[in-house]
């Protein structure tokens, strides 16, 4: 039996969602999307659905973003109907926004939105940012009709987004998709602020046919809808590997002010009590950190790094601090050797980017299990 809810705008915004995957929480149907015990559902605290809770706490995970058959079914139907697909990404955590396996389902009618432009330095040229994004998309063989920078916080380029959306959709439906925490819901809410329903249809929340996924269906006119899908769980991002209450420290809310350290080998950089970057060997290097203003960085000598990190974990004195990480042994080590030359970025997915000129330096990076740690090279 298909479950359908109808409501006005106010009730739709207040629906309780899993903060991991974005599914609408429910306690009636175990095994279906968003299931949670009723005792937890009635709580006023932010909650994870049962599936996301198991993924996070019991490592029932394959280490890849969870783009599954349900999402594939939705996007196949979008292509069949010649609908416009809007892939929402995060300007700060762009790598965490890329979803392996999704490319074949995006089709030709694709608009890619780079949200949260406001958190990147204003001094960065938009055209250069767009060029870098398109180069990275080329590497993934993703070719949208257009790429737009956007910020719903200050309505940056929102009028252009609306114009582009209506032009590209050509009167057809629009499907919004993206990983969790990219700001997809904020885009929908920004649209709803000026929304006037001139049809006899309701905004509804229901399970999409042939899937277990709840989607919000918003009538745009008598012939078309906007479909808001839940955020996709990305286990490669630190955002899906820590508690909800510390995301406020990790996800930037204001313009990032890069921090540059002149660093010698055998120095360590401890980020709150959730990650650590050790500069093992190499010439003196300027390390430029792009990280949330609320993340505390402690620089120390390498020989003191483990003791300092473990102390931070015990006292929870430096943010972000996770109760899931009790000492260094709860982190996983990735060793990286930089190229011989060129501009390079060290990435802890979802947490920070560190830019430097490469000359063969060696780094040991400690991060929570499954979180992607890697180098990216390019003209940054």
């Amino acid at each position: 039996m298909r479950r359908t809810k109808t409501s006005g705008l106010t009730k739709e915004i207040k629906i309780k969602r899993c903060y991991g995957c974005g599914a609408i929480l429910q306690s009636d149907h175990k095994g279906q999307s968003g299931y949670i015990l009723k005792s937890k559902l009635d709580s006023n605290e932010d909650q994870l659905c049962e599936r996301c809770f198991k993924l996070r706490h019991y490592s029932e995970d394959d280490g890849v973003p969870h783009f599954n058959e349900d999402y594939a079914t939705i996007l196949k139907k979008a292509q069949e109907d010649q609908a416009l697909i809007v892939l929402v990404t995060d300007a700060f955590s762009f790598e965490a926004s890329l979803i392996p396996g999704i490319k074949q389902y995006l089709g030709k009618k694709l608009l890619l939105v780079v949200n949260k432009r406001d958190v990147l330095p204003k001094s960065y040229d938009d055209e250069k940012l767009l060029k870098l994004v398109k180069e990275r998309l080329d590497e993934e063989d993703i070719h949208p009709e257009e790429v737009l920078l956007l910020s719903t916080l200050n309505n940056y380029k929102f009028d252009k987004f609306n114009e582009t959306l209506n032009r590209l959709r050509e009167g057809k439906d629009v499907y919004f998709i993206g990983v969790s925490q990219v700001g997809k819901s904020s885009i929908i809410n920004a649209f709803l602020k000026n929304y006037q329903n001139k049809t006899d249809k309701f905004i509804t929340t229901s399970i999409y046919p042939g899937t277990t996924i709840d989607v919000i269906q918003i009538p745009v006119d008598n012939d078309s809808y906007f479909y808001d899908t839940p955020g996709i769980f990305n286990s490669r991002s630190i955002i899906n590997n820590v508690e909800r209450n510390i995301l406020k420290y990790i996800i930037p809310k204001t313009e990032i002010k890069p921090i540059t350290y002149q660093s010698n080998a055998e120095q360590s950089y401890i980020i709150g009590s959730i990650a650590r970057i050790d500069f093992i060997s190499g010439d003196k290097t300027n390390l430029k950190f792009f990280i949330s203003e609320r993340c505390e960085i402690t620089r120390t000598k390498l020989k003191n790094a483990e003791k300092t990190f473990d102390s931070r974990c015990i006292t929870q004195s430096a943010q972000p601090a996770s109760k899931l990480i009790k000492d260094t042994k709860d982190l996983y080590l990735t060793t990286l050797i930089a190229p011989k030359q060129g501009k390079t970025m060290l990435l802890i997915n979802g947490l920070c980017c560190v830019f430097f000129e490469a000359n063969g330096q060696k780094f040991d990076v400690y991060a929570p299990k499954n979180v992607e740690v890697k180098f990216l090279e390019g003209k940054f």
Side-chain angles (χ1 to χ4, degrees), residues 31-298:
Q32 292 189 9
S33 173
Y35 177 77
I36 189 173
L37 292 174
K38 191 174 189 309
S39 58
K40 293 184 178 180
L41 180 62
D42 292 339
S43 168
N44 291 325
E45 296 180 1
D46 291 327
Q47 297 286 353
L48 290 169
C49 68
E50 187 176 79
R51 172 182 164 277
C52 287
F53 183 87
K54 288 180 178 179
L55 285 170
R56 190 166 303 199
H57 294 283
Y58 299 109
S59 300
E60 296 180 9
D61 186 20
D62 54 11
V64 299
H66 289 268
F67 177 78
N68 56 27
E69 291 182 4
D70 283 344
Y71 286 98
T73 297
I74 291 173
L75 293 183
K76 284 178 181 177
K77 183 64 165 64
Q79 287 193 59
E80 290 172 5
D81 294 343
Q82 298 182 316
L84 176 67
I85 296 171
V86 179
L87 177 59
V88 181
T89 63
D90 187 319
F92 173 68
S93 300
F94 186 74
E95 282 298 308
S97 307
L98 298 178
I99 309 166
I102 197 176
K103 184 264 173 187
Q104 62 181 308
Y105 301 104
L106 294 177
K108 295 181 179 179
K109 292 190 68 173
L110 173 65
L111 171 63
L112 190 133
V113 174
V114 185
N115 195 20
K116 305 183 186 179
R117 168 63 181 92
D118 56 287
V119 305
L120 297 184
K122 294 184 179 68
S123 58
Y124 277 50
D125 180 71
D126 279 5
E127 291 305 315
K128 183 178 180 180
L129 287 172
L130 286 171
K131 183 174 181 293
L132 291 173
V133 167
K134 290 174 182 178
E135 288 175 355
R136 186 69 187 92
L137 292 174
D138 284 343
E139 293 174 5
E140 296 293 325
D141 198 26
I142 296 175
H143 305 289
E145 289 194 50
E146 293 195 33
V147 178
L148 294 180
L149 298 176
L150 183 67
S151 170
T152 54
L153 183 66
N154 55 16
N155 289 324
Y156 182 75
K157 302 285 188 180
F158 204 82
D159 287 343
K160 183 176 181 180
F161 166 71
N162 272 329
E163 181 275 320
T164 304
L165 192 72
N166 286 309
R167 172 167 49 83
L168 293 181
R169 76 182 186 90
E170 298 178 313
K172 304 287 186 178
D173 294 335
V174 180
Y175 288 74
F176 290 84
I177 193 165
V179 301
S180 56
Q181 301 296 330
V182 295
K184 181 168 55 63
S185 293
S186 69
I187 293 175
I188 296 293
N189 285 337
F191 167 78
L192 289 175
K193 283 180 181 179
N194 297 311
Y195 174 72
Q196 292 183 336
N197 189 353
K198 298 181 180 180
T199 76
D200 57 358
K201 303 172 183 178
F202 294 98
I203 297 176
T204 63
T205 300
S206 60
I207 294 177
Y208 195 88
T211 77
T212 62
I213 294 179
D214 282 309
V215 300
I216 296 176
Q217 187 176 4
I218 304 167
V220 183
D221 51 45
N222 286 320
D223 300 311
S224 60
Y225 293 87
F226 283 177
Y227 292 90
D228 180 20
T229 64
I232 299 172
F233 186 96
N234 181 355
S235 60
R236 293 181 179 178
S237 171
I238 202 166
I239 289 170
N240 288 130
N241 285 275
V242 295
E243 304 94 318
R244 170 76 168 184
N245 65 325
I246 70 170
L247 293 184
K248 63 186 177 184
Y249 298 101
I250 294 172
I251 299 174
K253 297 297 183 184
T254 60
E255 182 183 350
I256 292 171
K257 308 294 184 184
I259 306 169
T260 301
Y261 295 94
Q262 290 187 339
S263 184
N264 294 309
E266 299 189 3
Q267 290 186 335
S268 180
Y269 298 86
I270 298 170
I271 302 172
S273 57
I274 61 171
R276 187 175 118 202
I277 299 173
D278 294 347
F279 181 13
I280 303 298
S281 62
D283 296 337
K284 188 173 184 178
T285 304
N286 285 338
L287 301 177
K288 180 182 286 189
F289 282 74
F290 278 70
I291 193 167
S292 167
E293 72 285 352
R294 300 193 68 183
C295 282
E296 299 177 47
I297 301 176
T298 302

Side-chain angles (χ1 to χ4, degrees), residues 276 305-307 309-310 313 325-332 366:
R276 187 175 118 202
E306 184 168 337
K307 181 179 178 180
F309 182 86
D310 291 352
C313 291
I325 301 170
K326 298 177 178 62
D327 54 39
T328 303
K329 292 188 285 294
D330 287 331
L331 301 179
Y332 287 73
Y366 296 83

Side-chain angles (χ1 to χ4, degrees), residues 310-326:
D310 291 352
S311 175
R312 294 284 189 273
C313 291
I314 292 170
T315 62
Q316 301 276 289
S317 58
Q319 294 296 343
S322 170
K323 293 180 180 178
L324 303 175
I325 301 170
K326 298 177 178 62

